[in-house]
Amino acid sequence: MLTVLLAIGVLVILSLIFGGILGYANVRFHVEGDPIVDQIDALLPQTQCGQCGHPGCKPYAQAIADGEAINHCPPGGQATIQALADLLDVEAIPLDGDHGTETAKRVAVIREDECIGCTKCIQACPVDAILGAAKQMHTVIADECTGCDLCVEPCPVDCIDMIDVGVTTKTWSWDKPQGISATSLNIIATDRQTEGTHS
Amino acid sequence: MNTAQVFSFHGGIHPEENKTQSLQLPLGRPSLPSELILPLGQHIGQSSRPVVNQGDKVLKGDVIATSNGFLSSYLHAPTSGAITAIEERPIAHPSGLSDLCIVLHPDGEDRWTELKPLNNWQSIDKAEILAYLSNMGIVGMGGAGFPTQVKLQGAQKSTLSHFIINAAECEPYITADDTLMREKTHELISGIEVFQHLIQADKVIIGIEDNKPTAITAINAVIAERNSNIQVAVVPTKYPSGGEKQLIQLLTGQEVPSGKHPADMGILCQNVGTCVAVHDAIYLGKPLISRITTLTGEALTSPQNVEVLLGTPIEHLLAYADVQHSRLNRLILGGPMMGYTLDSAAVPIVKTTNCILAASKKEFPAPAPEQACIRCGMCEQACPASLLPQQLLWFSKSQEHEKAEHYNLFDCIECGACSYVCPSSIPLVQYYRHTKSSIRDAREANVKSDLAKQRFEARKARQEAEAAEKEAKRLARQKATTAKSAEPKKAAPVADSIAPTSKTAAPASPAVDDTKKLKVDVAIGKSKLKKLQKQLLDAQENEHLEDISALQLQVTDQENLVAELEKQLAAVLESAPSVAKVPVDDAAKKAKIDAAIAKAAVKKVEKALKKAEEMQAPEVDAIRQQLKDAQQRADELEQALSSSGSVTPKATSPATPASAAELDLAGQVKKEKIAVALANAQINKLTKRLANAPEEAEAIQAEIDAAKQRLQTAQALLNTLVQSQNSTQENR
Ligand code: SF4
Ligand code: SF4
Ligand code: SF4
Ligand code: SF4
């Protein structure tokens, strides 16, 4: 009887000690903010175009954390969906066409002699990639432009074009090899026969 | 003669050398081609910036493009002639893409510009020599074309233990450096001395493979002749002993750790070609405009090494070496291990082109199809960088970039040894190249998206701050106005009725606001309409029948809306005070002034008449006539004024209550109110005095009565005024 009581007493004391430690750790190592939202946000392309229906990437990250579908971001495309699916451990679904389609990377270019200096595009640009002042010619800082399209519509004289960023010798990259192709199955003679039967 | 100790490195392969073919003939010097094509990006880093224009005439050795940043280089005219174009031309690049090139049409004279050798190089500042080398367009001629002055700057920061001259030339077929060492031994040693002067390394070692006995003998002879302390290390022939890190390991026994550069370990490597180029620049004043290149392969009848001007099209060289087009199957730039296939023979020779391999089909059969990795481990045995190629392949295929990096993918020198030995013919290097570029792209995209995020957030913060500031200002203003309107309340007990007056005076600005808002609405409506029309057009083009009718409806709606808004805007604009009020006011003012002047004239004439009558002057009649005329004019003006006065309120109402007449009225009301207040106060005072001084009672009582009388009349006047004001307000 005494041993039973002793055992219970020891266990109670232990549980109190560990409970105390855990409680302390919870306070001491408290994590500010919602780390999952930041993780999601880090995967989004930060184009800030609003095509997902949210005013920027962070709000969409919040929405995803709250359960919205992960396929609403056209600039990110399938690669982003895949990354999000990996992070959240859900299935990678195809891009939702309602929000737009994945396009090649583009930058805005202002036809400068047509610009009337209305500053409308500056106000529209989410990343301050346009330089100009009232009644002065405006120009896009190509390196900062995310290609979000938002400046095109507000321009009253339609002098902004979205130009595809083509491949140059500096940005070109090697293709992935074809991989093990069907023809490479001909290691031994019998392979060729099975090949022949189903083609 | 000084022979250095030689160590060894892991892995490596022994492919067929095939070097003798191109060593049969002496160094060739092809004729001038019909045009020279000089790409602006012949080196690692930013492309050079052209300083010539189309049509310019240049002499051999003139600068045609300058350095365009820290990591960049100069470019010089390889011969005299005219610049015919600066345009995109296909360049030697695995992608087969085009890039900006300066095209030079030689005039055949090959006339040098004035050459200024740096004869006093031993006595001047080292930084000056570096700048001079940069101006001479010297870049590393062994591999990637790293601007030499930048590499030297890096090396000068620390004390160097070894200066290694890379003469290994390990890749099969290539004999350009071999030829160079045979032909220009003295220049090579002089160039090495210049380098040694610049960096002061403890040991200077030339690393050379044992398959170049002629070159070794020649170098040893010159070293002995000059009594130089340069060491020659003869290394066994093994591919890729010419890799920078591999050669360092061979000559020093030290391994360059992953992620480190040789400079971090106090070691500098230079290619023999670069040393000769430095010699030519310092001693002869000649910029880098030519190089030695190997022309080889079974498709060439006379394979050989040639000293060729930069920019020479490869076709020209193939013709020079008597190419047999029927045998030419693949044109490779560089060696068989690290080179790449060219799509076009029109591409030019650049500073780093060491070999053109015109291969026949027999020489380079099509690669066998890729098969599955059997995990034989042969690639691991061959890898000179001690990597695990089969693991890297696995991660590359499954795009596990992080893991690939963890397995030091970026230490892979793309030597191709693993692909060479792989029994499954897996193009391993291409997998690695692809994965490396994907990782780089992803990193770049990450940097860019981080930047975009930062800018986006900064902008949001700024906008919020602006909005907060505006709000604060608005609050402050609101406070100020309430304080102001509270003040008169305290001052005059009758202030209640001031409120309507100030109200009547104010509404001009709301009207302006209205117009602004309407204008904005119209603009928004129009842009919406535009968008809808575009959609409609799209739908019509793409024959989306269901959408068309719906869109059509929306477009009509929007059109109506815009029309309505525009009408409203027009109405508001017409009645806007800022437009209508001013001229009327002005007219009224002018009329008043005119009337006043006329009245004054009448008075004057009257005076004159009186005087004349008194003096019984003969002009009396004339003056009388004048008076009559003046009177008439004054009357006319008065009439005009009163009519314009009655026009004023009409013109400004209904939209604007703030007409001149009304303001007048309001002013009178105010004045009467003040009069009433004054009378009241007086009565109060008098009543007090009455109480204090009973002896004067009668007189004071009389005064009070008079004051009361005044108060009554003022009150009556005020009442009528307020009434009329109300009625005008109601009329509106
Ligand atoms: S669609 Fe994508 S890129 Fe555009 S704002 Fe939304 S999350 Fe950002
Ligand atoms: S410049 Fe135009 S397209 Fe580029 S980020 Fe700004 S708004 Fe978007
Ligand atoms: S290509 Fe890369 S992985 Fe293959 S052997 Fe060379 S260094 Fe090693
Ligand atoms: S050599 Fe080829 S087959 Fe062998 S382990 Fe390496 S990749 Fe696999």
Side-chain angles (χ1 to χ4, degrees), chain A residues 41 45-46 48 123 125-128 143-146 168-170 172-177 179-180 184 187, chain B residues 45 47 93-95 97 99 369-372 397 430-431 433-434 437 448-449 451-453 455-456 459 462:
Chain A
D41 193 32
Q46 306 298 332
Q48 316 291 0
Q123 289 156 34
C125 179
V127 293
D128 284 335
D143 277 350
E144 309 290 2
C145 173
T146 63
T168 68
T169 48
K170 291 244 154 73
W172 177 85
S173 60
W174 289 84
D175 286 339
K176 197 174 177 188
I180 302 161
S184 70
I187 300 176
Chain B
S47 298
H93 192 270
S95 63
L97 286 169
D99 208 350
E370 177 184 337
Q371 284 159 11
K397 274 192 164 175
Q430 203 183 334
Y431 277 106
R433 283 173 171 162
H434 169 75
S437 41
K448 243 195 131 180
S449 78
L451 204 72
K453 193 164 143 188
R455 292 178 77 93
F456 177 66
R459 177 172 184 268
R462 194 188 68 226

Side-chain angles (χ1 to χ4, degrees), chain B residues 286-304:
Chain B
K286 288 184 183 174
L288 179 52
I289 54 164
S290 68
R291 64 157 299 138
I292 292 179
T293 297
T294 305
L295 307 178
T296 187
E298 278 187 358
L300 300 182
T301 317
S302 38
Q304 59 185 299

Side-chain angles (χ1 to χ4, degrees), chain B residues 342-357:
Chain B
L342 288 177
D343 297 337
S344 142
V347 305
I349 296 282
V350 295
K351 290 175 182 175
T352 54
T353 315
N354 54 3
C355 181
I356 309 291
L357 185 49

Side-chain angles (χ1 to χ4, degrees), chain B residues 198-273:
Chain B
L198 286 170
I199 53 174
Q200 303 291 345
D202 298 341
K203 270 189 189 169
V204 185
I205 313 174
I206 301 177
I208 184 165
E209 270 189 349
D210 58 10
N211 59 359
K212 301 176 192 54
T214 325
I216 296 170
T217 325
I219 287 175
N220 279 331
V222 174
I223 289 175
E225 182 188 309
R226 293 192 172 215
N227 207 0
S228 162
N229 61 353
I230 298 171
Q231 296 180 328
V232 177
V234 180
V235 301
T237 300
K238 177 163 89 168
Y239 180 83
S241 61
E244 195 174 52
K245 292 186 176 180
Q246 282 66 40
L247 191 63
I248 288 173
Q249 210 178 343
L250 276 172
L251 299 191
T252 69
Q254 291 172 277
E255 198 176 331
V256 183
S258 172
K260 289 264 193 232
H261 295 288
D264 302 331
M265 304 167 57
I267 297 172
L268 175 76
C269 269
Q270 287 294 342
N271 174 266
V272 282

